[in-house]
Amino acid sequence: MKTDVAYNQLVDVERRRQEANRKAQMNFRCVIALLTVATVLLAATALHILLTPKVSSSHPAPSSSLRPHRGESCSDPCTIVVVESIPEGLVFNSSTTHPTIFQAWLNLMGEARSSIDIASFYWTLTNEDTGTHEPTANQGETVLKTLAEVSGKLSVRIAVNTPQGSQPQADLRLLNDSGADIRTVNVRELTSGVLHTKFWVVDKKHIYIGSANMDWRSLTQVKELGVVVYNCSCLAADLGKIFEAYWLLGDSQSIPSPWPKSFATLYNKDTPLQLPLNSTPSNVYLSSSPPSFCAAGRTPDLQSILSVMEDAESFIYIAVMNYLPTMEFSHPKRYWADIDTQLRRVGYEKRVKVRLLISCWASTQPVMFPFLKSLASVYDPKSRLDIQVRLFVVPASPKQKEIPFARVNHNKYMVTDKIAYIGTSNWSGDYFVNTAGSALVVNQTASQSSEPTVQSQLKAVFERDWDSAYSTPLTRLSNHKDLC
Ligand SMILES: *[C@@H]1O[C@H](CO)[C@@H](O)[C@H](O)[C@H]1NC(C)=O
Ligand SMILES: *[C@@H]1O[C@H](CO)[C@@H](O)[C@H](O)[C@H]1NC(C)=O
Ligand SMILES: *[C@@H]1O[C@H](CO)[C@@H](O)[C@H](O)[C@H]1NC(C)=O
Ligand SMILES: *[C@@H]1O[C@H](CO)[C@@H](O)[C@H](O)[C@H]1NC(C)=O
Ligand SMILES: *[C@@H]1O[C@H](CO)[C@@H](O)[C@H](O)[C@H]1NC(C)=O
């Protein structure tokens, strides 16, 4: 059957998690308790003594090693671009459009002079990988071919989740044979999770981060969102530290504890990096999960999400593929409501308007709907409670339906009245507790240039999708079987 490859690859992931999870669960509680203590101590230590921040030479950092709690600044002329993959045939009645992720990856490879580092979940960039004969695989095939070409000329390093059984490995073999350096990261052995992160660091200067996998479908058949930041060595150096952590974990048997100093960061939710983004002063930082992969100073991804919600004053818009207040891969079942509780709390205490745009497709787990309906029931205009949920469906022609694991909104971002959060994780407990992911958090005051802020661009994307014909309100009576 055509779908075997991709299907098995997902089933494998889930089955292995199930096997490992029972054992791991007990360990997690201890590990997390220890890590919390360790993180607090390390973060405090790091902020006070560890690092000389990387700043551009025109604005040297103050030399004091005892730093007050404020971010470091950087004067790189950083340019940020929101990029999207819009699946073939999806048409919006809207002027909100962005350059494609395909174009962004080509640009990055074109710009590269010395190095490309890629963190990735799996590689299926060709028709051969997915057992398909789709003309729309051509963009993925072009990316693979171009990357193979540059692998012979510059340093190309790829950190990838350890491929399992039936997972295709032809792309990795080709890249390896072309001169790329590849390390597999066995996150299953390390934390019972997977390496789910998707980002690029080019010439220690440009970065890409977003929802797209190294998969041809992520360019033409799955709806994706990411950002590219050009000419931004301060931020690239920090994302580089997360890459180096994966690189170190590649083929290793254990997670360093504590992480060596070189992995520590000064930039986090309390002391973000101050830099100009499209000429607008901005505070940014990168979060990471799981907590055990976070060196001193790094904000764990969950804390980042909770703090962005806490900080919102009027609205929180969330677009994620999956939303579950559970550890979805754990056995026995476990309830995990950190994010869910925070949304209900800010919805009630601060009367913040909450909108969730969740994906609905053939592989959606039915158990997601009762939890989403429960959240959407926190709605009563008289009491100023305003949480609403819509389901986004990417329609598929009979021919498109034959493409395995495609035609879905795979976005993973959040935008509030102040913040843009661009992540790589599905929103269920597993992704914050044991799976590796990362996110870029951008906090900008009003735009001082003619260009809109990232926050306003993400808000426009959200509103375009929310108001489109592809999204349907979730009500108590909705039957998802009729929708997706
Ligand atoms: C798009 O929206 C505009 C304004 O609401 C409307 O006039 C136009 O007919 C719409 N076009 C389509 C193709 O739906
Ligand atoms: C990668 O290439 C080297 C030779 O350059 C070879 O020794 C190694 O086995 C290859 N690794 C994989 C995973 O194909
Ligand atoms: C990055 O900086 C270089 C050199 O200043 C410039 O030529 C290039 O256009 C910049 N790239 C972007 C995307 O701003
Ligand atoms: C965003 O920046 C403002 C001003 O610097 C700060 O008060 C606020 O806490 C920041 N928000 C987040 C979520 O980091
Ligand atoms: C997100 O969740 C879905 C459904 O569980 C899973 O198939 C997918 O691999 C996850 N990760 C990605 C690639 O975003």
Side-chain angles (χ1 to χ4, degrees):
M1 187 170 84
K2 270 188 180 178
T3 62
D4 275 355
V5 172
Y7 178 75
N8 287 343
Q9 127 197 344
L10 293 170
V11 169
D12 277 355
V13 169
E14 181 161 2
R15 183 175 43 73
R16 283 180 288 101
R17 279 189 175 150
Q18 291 171 2
E19 284 164 9
N21 205 283
R22 203 186 174 74
K23 177 183 79 188
Q25 247 186 30
M26 282 163 50
N27 296 342
F28 283 150
R29 295 196 186 128
C30 309
V31 169
I32 284 164
L34 286 173
L35 279 169
T36 309
V37 173
T39 308
V40 169
L41 290 174
L42 286 169
T45 313
L47 287 171
H48 290 286
I49 58 173
L50 284 183
L51 291 178
T52 303
K54 166 123 177 61
V55 291
S56 74
S57 49
S58 57
H59 282 225
S63 58
S64 164
S65 63
L66 279 176
R67 255 162 232 303
H69 283 258
R70 53 184 297 277
E72 298 305 327
S73 67
C74 158
S75 62
D76 288 349
C78 309
T79 304
I80 186 165
V81 183
V82 172
V83 291
E84 288 192 275
S85 294
I86 302 294
E88 175 191 46
L90 211 66
V91 182
F92 291 102
N93 184 9
S94 159
S95 59
T96 299
T97 58
H98 292 286
T100 63
I101 293 176
F102 173 58
Q103 193 55 55
W105 289 356
L106 290 186
N107 288 350
L108 286 172
M109 289 186 283
E111 286 287 320
R113 295 293 171 270
S114 57
S115 65
I116 301 180
D117 293 333
I118 300 179
S120 55
F121 179 22
Y122 65 91
W123 290 67
T124 49
L125 283 168
T126 70
N127 266 315
E128 216 166 304
D129 294 332
T130 48
T132 46
H133 299 90
E134 269 290 324
T136 58
N138 64 347
Q139 297 191 353
E141 289 168 354
T142 300
V143 168
L144 182 64
K145 187 164 151 278
T146 312
L147 191 58
E149 280 161 17
V150 299
S151 292
K153 299 179 194 143
L154 354 148
S155 156
V156 172
R157 295 189 297 170
I158 293 167
V160 60
N161 189 57
T162 301
Q164 303 297 323
S166 58
Q167 271 190 312
Q169 294 191 48
D171 299 4
L172 293 169
R173 270 195 299 272
L174 169 72
L175 292 168
N176 183 48
D177 292 346
S178 310
D181 231 342
I182 298 172
R183 287 197 188 170
T184 57
V185 188
N186 203 334
V187 181
R188 171 172 60 127
E189 289 297 321
L190 295 169
T191 65
S192 309
V194 298
L195 183 72
H196 193 257
T197 319
K198 313 124 193 350
F199 67 65
W200 295 41
V201 182
V202 173
D203 290 351
K204 306 199 183 309
K205 193 159 91 176
H206 316 296
I207 67 167
Y208 159 84
I209 183 165
S211 64
N213 285 308
M214 298 311 298
D215 183 328
W216 68 262
R217 293 163 292 193
S218 293
L219 301 175
T220 52
Q221 296 292 349
V222 173
K223 190 166 172 299
E224 310 275 8
L225 184 135
V227 289
V228 197
V229 188
Y230 295 102
N231 289 331
C232 201
S233 53
C234 320
L235 190 57
D238 202 49
L239 191 57
K241 291 180 179 180
I242 298 179
F243 182 85
E244 294 300 341
Y246 299 154
W247 199 244
L248 181 141
L249 292 173
D251 306 313
S252 89
Q253 304 301 310
S254 63
I255 305 170
S257 178
W259 280 88
K261 278 185 192 181
S262 59
F263 297 88
T265 182
L266 278 176
Y267 312 134
N268 52 45
K269 72 183 175 61
D270 299 316
T271 56
L273 173 61
Q274 299 168 356
L275 49 70
L277 272 184
N278 303 353
S279 310
T280 294
S282 311
N283 288 332
V284 307
Y285 70 92
L286 293 153
S287 61
S288 178
S289 71
S292 58
F293 286 16
C294 294
R298 183 75 59 198
T299 302
D301 204 19
L302 175 63
Q303 267 56 53
S304 153
I305 288 175
L306 299 180
S307 72
V308 170
M309 290 173 172
E310 176 75 47
D311 173 75
E313 280 175 4
S314 66
F315 70 85
I316 301 174
Y317 295 163
I318 296 163
V320 290
M321 175 171 164
N322 284 355
Y323 178 93
L324 275 166
T326 67
M327 298 286 294
E328 62 175 311
F329 304 106
S330 95
H331 291 267
K333 306 281 184 217
R334 242 182 89 204
Y335 186 62
W336 184 92
D338 297 35
I339 291 177
D340 208 62
T341 301
Q342 184 77 330
L343 286 176
R344 290 169 196 265
R345 200 175 65 72
V346 298
Y348 174 66
E349 292 181 1
K350 299 170 77 184
R351 301 299 198 253
V352 167
K353 171 169 132 180
V354 177
R355 301 280 178 269
L356 293 106
L357 188 58
I358 309 298
S359 305
C360 194
W361 65 322
S363 305
T364 302
Q365 297 179 52
V367 71
M368 194 165 86
F369 297 99
F371 288 120
L372 284 176
K373 286 180 184 177
S374 159
L375 194 52
S377 73
V378 184
Y379 178 80
D380 179 26
K382 279 199 223 95
S383 319
R384 290 172 51 229
L385 291 175
D386 189 6
I387 301 185
Q388 294 183 37
V389 178
R390 288 190 181 180
L391 301 178
F392 192 98
V393 178
V394 176
S397 67
K399 184 148 184 301
Q400 289 165 338
K401 281 204 173 95
E402 288 173 21
I403 307 170
F405 291 94
R407 311 300 300 175
V408 64
N409 188 1
H410 194 245
N411 291 178
K412 296 146 191 342
Y413 68 86
M414 162 166 64
V415 56
T416 70
D417 41 286
K418 295 193 216 141
I419 308 281
Y421 167 99
I422 297 105
T424 69
S425 288
N426 287 322
W427 281 26
S428 65
D430 312 75
Y431 290 88
F432 304 102
V433 173
N434 54 15
T435 275
S438 54
L440 174 67
V441 184
V442 181
N443 186 349
Q444 284 172 311
T445 51
S447 174
Q448 295 183 2
S449 76
S450 54
E451 289 180 71
T453 59
V454 189
Q455 181 272 347
S456 66
Q457 287 179 295
L458 274 196
K459 177 169 178 275
V461 168
F462 186 89
E463 285 167 347
R464 176 198 69 195
D465 293 357
W466 180 265
D467 293 328
S468 76
Y470 305 114
S471 86
T472 314
L474 181 74
T475 65
R476 223 148 36 92
L477 301 174
S478 301
N479 180 353
H480 74 275
K481 289 209 188 74
D482 303 336
L483 292 169
C484 33

